[in-house]
Amino acid sequence: MEMDPSDLDLDSLTLDPGELKLRLHLVTWNIGTAPPPQDVSSLLLLDTACPDIDMYIIGLQEVNAKVLNFLSDLAFDDPWSLFLMDFLAPLGYVKISSIRMQGLLLLIFVKHKHIPFIQDIRTNYMRTGLYGYWGNKGGVAVRMSVYGHMFCFMNCHLPAHMENANQRLDDFERMLEAQQFDGESVGSVLDHDLVFWFGDLNFRISDFGIHFIREMINSNRYHLLWEKDQLNIAKKKETFLQGFLEGPLKFKPTYKFDLNSDVYDTSGKKRKPAWTDRILWKLKNTSESEQEDSVGSEFEKILKVNLEKYTSNMSYGISDHKPVIGTFTVQMKPLILTPSVLLKPEGEWNADHDSLISYSVSDDFPSSTWDWIGLYRVGFRHTNDYVTYAWVKDDEISFSKDCSQVYISADEIPLNGGEFLLCYFCHNLQCLAGISEPFQIRPGRILEVKEGAQGIVDDLTKTESFMGPGF
């Protein structure tokens, strides 16, 4: 599977003002400090005929957080982030946000054509393990505006062991209450239009013995275990969990397995199998009376979520947990129909002269002196994967209500040329608010001179070698 060239053409994204459908694919996996496997095609549904996924949301737990590894990952991307970027970038996906807290990692990838419509990106985290100091347990979250609707993704790792069910519930309730995001649009988690909660939530199957549980699993009678699942029990009792939905658990419990096998724990501990790894979602509360009375813009903001697939992937054995995946179709009325920033390169670009960029912004765009325009190669992997950039104010050469221009110095333009894009980064919204169409940068004459000179040197070297030194 390769990138579809139409994904780079923003004109190909014709938005129906009445309806937009996005396919989201969520992954949660406790990887037990393991490095990435060789291939994740089946995990990301890339081995299917037409995956057509618009966003990948990947939540990992127990990423290697030993001191040396963690300090290295602070300076550079961790191995899992690098692996997934290398895997998805050639297919047209860009990492637009990520957050890490010790062993917890949350990554968001989106198809290139949606990037200008995903704005107001913020991240946050909350520690709960070891009295909240070290961060071995807790939650990380990313929130964003998706075509004008506020989404929040929470990746959690809650306390382990059968007897800690109340602690798990207390920790999650505290996260919902205390986790706040910067910005004026939405503060707390439950104020978002759509919340996804996933991770190693560590809920167990109570009362039943290990032999009964394994017998029910071997005979595919999972439904007989549902009523003793601690999370299912809590959803019926706890007020703060009302409205959280989950698909049926029609797959094997995902914990605990012997490594590199699909055999449940044969160690001396013999942990009871459990659905520790889960994906839930919640739409913002709207009473029936409010829905009936809603007209105009309020009615149009209602989202619809359809769960297409909810299962585990038994083919991966690098951890004692199996990954869980959920594929969703989110149907919405887009509240943003055009990018907030339109930009394009002016004239022919090469490294022989300075080059100009023209751009215009919407009337209500929250511009800042910290905004910049980056030059990216086609197939870039993440927001900071630019070749060079220009500050929209410091490098400005003309300004008007309808159009502004900035320049990029010839010294900053790649000598060897190639296919590139321009992206406008908005500091106040923490996003790429505008993307140009792809364009060519021609190789500079300096490169041609260098290559010509190198060719002469090579010819002289060959002649000397053939005729002998000093001929």
Side-chain angles (χ1 to χ4, degrees), residues 366-439:
S367 59
S368 162
T369 56
W370 296 102
D371 292 357
W372 47 267
I373 296 174
L375 177 66
Y376 296 80
R377 293 188 183 276
V378 167
F380 70 98
R381 304 187 304 166
H382 55 86
T383 303
N384 293 327
D385 195 20
Y386 49 76
V387 176
T388 186
Y389 64 89
W391 295 104
V392 297
K393 294 302 180 185
D394 291 353
D395 298 314
E396 186 177 80
I397 60 173
S398 69
F399 169 79
S400 69
K401 181 180 179 181
D402 298 325
C403 182
S404 298
Q405 287 189 326
V406 299
Y407 78 96
I408 290 183
S409 169
D411 296 337
E412 302 292 332
I413 296 175
L415 273 175
N416 57 351
E419 193 171 17
F420 289 83
L421 297 157
L422 295 169
C423 299
Y424 185 110
F425 181 82
C426 175
H427 175 77
N428 286 329
L429 296 178
Q430 290 293 297
C431 70
L432 296 177
I435 301 181
S436 75
E437 300 295 336
F439 67 98

Side-chain angles (χ1 to χ4, degrees), residues 97-168:
S97 187
S98 66
I99 181 171
R100 179 168 181 190
M101 182 187 74
Q102 290 299 107
L104 276 167
L105 177 64
L106 177 56
L107 303 162
I108 313 286
F109 294 85
V110 302
K111 195 172 280 187
H112 179 277
K113 63 184 179 182
H114 298 300
I115 292 175
F117 303 96
I118 299 179
Q119 304 178 353
D120 201 8
I121 302 173
R122 312 286 173 176
T123 61
N124 207 339
Y125 64 89
M126 185 171 180
R127 300 184 180 96
T128 60
L130 291 178
Y131 306 101
Y133 288 114
W134 184 234
N136 60 321
K137 295 291 191 294
V140 292
V142 175
R143 81 94 187 272
M144 60 188 65
S145 168
V146 181
Y147 288 89
H149 300 272
M150 298 307 300
F151 288 20
C152 180
F153 302 97
M154 293 185 68
N155 173 27
C156 297
H157 193 185
L158 301 181
H161 306 305
M162 178 75 71
E163 65 273 14
N164 288 327
N166 288 334
Q167 184 64 54
R168 290 188 274 275

Side-chain angles (χ1 to χ4, degrees), residues 198-239:
F198 50 96
D200 180 1
L201 307 186
N202 254 322
F203 289 102
R204 308 304 170 101
I205 300 171
S206 60
D207 297 341
F208 294 142
I210 186 172
H211 298 294
F212 178 79
I213 292 175
R214 288 188 174 184
E215 183 180 343
M216 294 303 101
I217 294 170
N218 293 335
S219 59
N220 293 324
R221 289 185 287 176
Y222 308 126
H223 63 283
L224 296 180
L225 303 175
W226 292 349
E227 65 177 16
K228 295 298 182 180
D229 174 80
Q230 291 177 333
L231 181 54
N232 284 342
I233 294 171
K235 283 168 60 183
K236 296 176 182 177
K237 295 180 178 180
E238 302 292 342
T239 303

